[in-house]
Amino acid sequence: ANAQRVVTPYSVMWDGLRDTGTGTALGVEPVAADLSGLLNLSGTTHTDPGTYNGDVWIFAGDVNYLGAAGTVDNYIAPARFAISGTLKYHKAYGTNIPLNNVTIGLADETFTLIDNYTIQSGAGGAYVFEDLVPGNYYLTVLNNPKAPGGINSSDATTANYWSVNGGVIPQARFQAGDVSDDLLIYSGDALGMQRYFVYGDPFPRVNNTGTAWTYYNADSTITDNFNPGLGAIAQEMNVTLGYANKVVDILAVVIGDFNTSYNPVPGKEAASTSLFLDHDGTIKAEANTEIEVPVRIVNASELTAISLILNFPSELAEITGVTMKGSNGQLDWAATGNELRIGWNGLLGLPFAAGEKMITVKMRTTSAFTLGQSLMLTLAADPLNELAGADRNVIPDAVLGS
């Protein structure tokens, strides 16, 4: 005889446990015998998500009932998980700053964009992508409306020091220091940072990546130039999503801001709060005359970087040179319009006594300069004006005299 067989397929959400079809087998007697023990459903057993068509079941039969076999189609739906985290500006010597109003993209393993998320104001830099199946994904920053900044000679001296001494830093900071985009931080990168500050020379990394920013997983670090990491994928961050939610915090740094001094929050750092210029002397001059204007440091200091943006009346004088004592380090200057930029950095600190002349600005008065007029160098209202001390950190409340 043929037993009454019922095998029920399943369609379930993945839960990490083993799933097997269910079934019954009954005899044809007035009081039906339970023959379910003769039913083998092991061919319907699965653990991983997927579509399983044609799973075989077998009814073994016995002396009274014929054996049989058949198939069912089963399905385990992939579980859904989330990738979330924060995007913050890295501060090597302080608390990371959340970045809001930035759009993060999510791409699949073929680099096809599948979703995007714009971080809301006041959200602490938090983002989330939900309803994702396990697999490989890439995070990328699609739009960052914030202007870059914070690059001066202090970054140059910090990069020079790290290139020689190394030390654990986040991958994002390394990429910000690798302005030449060659997976190394060396003296050429330091020179590039200072030239950007003084002359506005562009960075190869910015040209190659198309953005002035770099981003990377916050937990990715390196120690020196011999372990540069995956700097070539600066804008795409690989995420392997398993069968659990994944937290991926992202650090952002402006390319060139190696000392991470920049504050990307609008309205912050409109002017320097660490450097002040007092005028304590008078130099008499006539039209078409060469003069030298000393800029002195008021308090004794050992300097590793000087970053100055000075204003001067270009209709009354032209800048003909900038000098400083010794030959240690790299000195650059440029005068454009009414602005004079001066950058210097040295791997070794340069000591100055209290009141000692730090730099000398050489000028030539124009024919428009007449008796009784004043010609004054003033400190521009710019947060990039600063001095770095022996530890390569900004000297707070530094005072200059001219």
Side-chain angles (χ1 to χ4, degrees):
N2 289 314
Q4 302 175 69
R5 304 172 303 273
V6 177
V7 176
T8 304
Y10 56 84
S11 179
V12 297
M13 180 71 73
W14 179 89
D15 59 5
L17 302 177
R18 183 178 300 173
D19 292 292
T20 302
T22 58
T24 59
L26 299 174
V28 294
E29 300 88 353
V31 178
D34 186 357
L35 305 175
S36 299
L38 299 176
L39 196 60
N40 182 349
L41 301 177
S42 62
T44 69
T45 298
H46 302 284
T47 302
D48 296 331
T51 299
Y52 301 98
N53 295 326
D55 281 350
V56 176
W57 57 265
I58 298 173
F59 178 72
D62 60 14
V63 293
N64 297 315
Y65 291 94
L66 297 173
T71 62
V72 290
D73 297 333
N74 296 304
Y75 176 65
I76 301 177
R80 302 287 173 161
F81 300 100
I83 297 173
S84 64
T86 59
L87 173 64
K88 296 183 178 182
Y89 196 86
H90 175 53
K91 303 294 286 186
Y93 309 105
T95 302
N96 294 337
I97 300 174
L99 294 179
N100 299 319
N101 303 310
V102 176
T103 301
I104 298 178
L106 182 72
D108 62 18
E109 60 185 3
T110 67
F111 291 97
T112 301
L113 188 67
I114 59 175
D115 202 356
N116 65 80
Y117 186 95
T118 299
I119 300 171
Q120 301 301 308
S121 296
Y127 74 92
V128 62
F129 294 102
E130 298 178 304
D131 199 29
L132 302 175
V133 299
N136 291 320
Y137 296 91
Y138 292 89
L139 293 168
T140 183
V141 175
L142 299 176
N143 179 50
N144 182 351
K146 304 180 187 304
I151 304 164
N152 61 14
S153 296
S154 296
D155 298 292
T157 189
T158 306
N160 254 333
Y161 181 84
W162 188 89
S163 71
V164 174
N165 297 280
V168 178
I169 60 173
Q171 180 74 35
R173 185 182 176 194
F174 174 84
Q175 291 176 178
D178 177 25
V179 300
S180 56
D181 199 20
D182 59 2
L183 296 183
L184 292 171
I185 294 177
Y186 68 113
S187 58
D189 293 293
L191 179 61
M193 294 170 194
Q194 184 161 291
R195 291 187 63 86
Y196 176 91
F197 168 67
V198 175
Y199 307 112
D201 290 357
F203 295 138
R205 178 178 280 276
V206 173
N207 292 338
N208 294 342
T209 62
T211 175
W213 294 72
T214 186
Y215 312 92
Y216 217 85
N217 297 5
D219 59 359
S220 179
T221 61
I222 67 171
T223 56
D224 52 51
N225 276 323
F226 300 100
N227 179 27
L230 299 176
I233 56 171
Q235 308 311 122
E236 281 90 16
M237 292 153 285
N238 176 260
V239 179
T240 300
L241 181 64
Y243 293 99
N245 293 331
K246 184 88 169 184
V247 175
V248 181
D249 292 328
I250 305 169
L251 293 180
V253 187
V254 169
I255 295 172
D257 183 28
F258 189 66
N259 70 349
T260 69
S261 63
Y262 183 51
N263 189 337
V265 178
K268 298 291 186 181
E269 296 190 359
S272 176
T273 58
S274 67
L275 187 61
F276 307 91
L277 176 60
D278 291 334
H279 297 280
D280 54 7
T282 301
I283 299 175
K284 293 183 179 181
E286 299 176 351
N288 302 311
T289 303
E290 299 282 350
I291 61 174
E292 293 187 353
V293 179
V295 178
R296 306 179 186 278
I297 188 164
V298 173
N299 299 311
S301 302
E302 182 177 343
L303 302 182
T304 54
I306 299 171
S307 303
L308 294 179
I309 304 175
L310 302 171
N311 293 326
F312 70 99
S314 60
E315 73 280 5
L316 299 180
E318 63 173 326
I319 309 297
T320 60
V322 175
T323 61
M324 63 182 294
K325 75 170 187 178
S327 58
N328 171 30
Q330 174 70 33
L331 173 65
D332 292 291
W333 66 272
T336 304
N338 293 331
E339 182 182 89
L340 170 62
R341 289 190 173 228
I342 302 172
W344 172 84
N345 79 92
L347 184 59
L348 301 176
L350 190 60
F352 290 89
E356 184 178 358
K357 182 166 56 179
M358 186 178 73
I359 60 173
T360 298
V361 178
K362 297 183 178 182
M363 311 174 73
R364 180 177 178 81
T365 58
T366 67
S367 57
F369 185 80
T370 60
L371 186 65
Q373 285 186 305
S374 296
L375 196 164
M376 185 178 297
L377 291 174
T378 59
L379 202 62
D382 194 302
L384 294 177
N385 279 309
E386 63 186 26
L387 305 178
D391 59 358
R392 286 163 181 79
N393 292 325
V394 175
I395 299 174
D397 302 322
V399 180
L400 302 178
S402 173

